[in-house]
Amino acid sequence: MNSFSNTNWLITGGSSGLGFALAENLSAQGAKVAIVARNERSLFEAAQKTGAVAIAGDVANKEDTYKIAGQAFAQLGRIDYLVNNASSLGPDRLQLLLDTDCESLEIALQTNVVAAFRLIKAVMPSLLLQGSGTIINISSDAAVNAYAKWGAYGASKASLDHLTRIWAEEVRSRGVSLLSIDPGDMATPLHRQAVPDADFSRLKDPQSSAKDVLAWIAQQPDSGQRKAV
């Protein structure tokens, strides 16, 4: 039996990159997966390719949060794993903090931190009632390394890491685990947006990263851990 057979997953940012690769891998293992994305065309194409349930919505939009959670529970019955994968750079292009608008920082924090927090709050009561569940927050090495021009993104991912640790501490005795995972530099649309002239042949394939991520989760790490894979 595969590690995640008969488990239910909700994955944000599931129409491309790591989210798509996770959905594809998990469906092949016999898991039931719901993916979330803003672009409906890309979302439904990804759902058709992966066999996942499509949930259209913008995680950064407060009004969409409970719609996403409600549709996920309606389609899946229960959620065993939530993957907060949707991310934003903040600025349209990488730039020094001095040149970064406050509004661009707000976009990064809204998508990468506040949206994850809202969705966790939306699903957490059900996870606590069922006495089990794992929440995986996708982080970055920019959360721990000070890369010039990655300020908005790095600050948001550092905040997400610490939010994960605090959530883990608060629900440690209730059967719910929270993890931070840095999947490495991948050949994804987000990375292309950040560094258009990057040599993608030197970056990790999202499929490879997805397998590494799932292999670590399958080891059942202690709640609150952060891992670079």
Side-chain angles (χ1 to χ4, degrees), residues 22 35 71 84 92 96 131 157 180 185 190 204:
L22 286 170
I35 56 174
Q71 288 186 19
N84 284 307
D92 291 334
L96 299 173
K157 290 297 185 178
S180 289
D185 292 337
L190 185 70
K204 289 182 70 175

Side-chain angles (χ1 to χ4, degrees), residues 48-67:
Q48 187 174 31
K49 291 177 182 177
T50 62
V53 172
I55 300 177
D58 181 358
V59 295
N61 182 345
K62 180 179 180 179
E63 303 304 321
D64 282 1
T65 301
Y66 284 94
K67 179 189 76 173

Side-chain angles (χ1 to χ4, degrees), residues 17 185-206:
D185 292 337
M186 297 176 291
T188 64
L190 185 70
H191 200 284
R192 187 180 296 278
Q193 177 189 349
V195 190
D197 58 350
D199 183 355
F200 269 42
S201 67
R202 295 180 177 272
L203 301 177
K204 289 182 70 175
D205 176 19

Side-chain angles (χ1 to χ4, degrees), residues 106-151:
E106 288 175 347
I107 290 170
L109 293 171
Q110 182 70 22
T111 305
N112 302 348
V113 185
V114 179
F117 177 70
R118 285 200 193 104
L119 196 50
I120 291 170
K121 279 180 64 70
V123 305
M124 183 63 80
S126 294
L127 301 189
L128 294 175
L129 282 173
Q130 69 194 31
S132 65
T134 301
I135 296 167
I136 299 106
N137 292 326
I138 301 301
S139 186
S140 166
D141 61 339
V144 294
N145 297 311
Y147 296 131
K149 297 186 178 182
W150 288 81

Side-chain angles (χ1 to χ4, degrees), residues 151-201:
Y153 182 80
S156 68
K157 290 297 185 178
S159 178
L160 182 63
D161 277 355
H162 199 51
L163 194 71
T164 304
R165 288 188 287 267
I166 295 171
W167 267 116
E169 187 63 28
E170 292 181 346
V171 300
R172 189 177 301 279
S173 63
R174 306 286 299 276
V176 179
S177 298
L178 289 100
L179 308 170
S180 289
I181 300 182
D182 167 15
D185 292 337
M186 297 176 291
T188 64
L190 185 70
H191 200 284
R192 187 180 296 278
Q193 177 189 349
V195 190
D197 58 350
D199 183 355
F200 269 42
S201 67

Side-chain angles (χ1 to χ4, degrees), residues 11-82:
I11 302 173
T12 68
S15 62
S16 64
L18 180 64
F20 176 89
L22 286 170
E24 192 170 47
N25 197 297
L26 287 162
S27 293
Q29 292 191 42
K32 191 171 182 180
V33 183
I35 56 174
V36 182
R38 293 177 300 174
N39 185 306
E40 292 192 17
R41 180 177 178 179
S42 297
L43 172 66
F44 288 108
E45 287 178 354
Q48 187 174 31
K49 291 177 182 177
T50 62
V53 172
I55 300 177
D58 181 358
V59 295
N61 182 345
K62 180 179 180 179
E63 303 304 321
D64 282 1
T65 301
Y66 284 94
K67 179 189 76 173
I68 291 168
Q71 288 186 19
F73 281 115
Q75 295 282 353
L76 301 177
R78 61 179 276 153
I79 294 173
D80 299 303
Y81 295 88
L82 164 64

Side-chain angles (χ1 to χ4, degrees), residues 208-219:
S208 175
S209 290
K211 291 177 182 177
D212 291 342
V213 165
L214 294 175
W216 186 61
I217 297 170
Q219 295 175 17

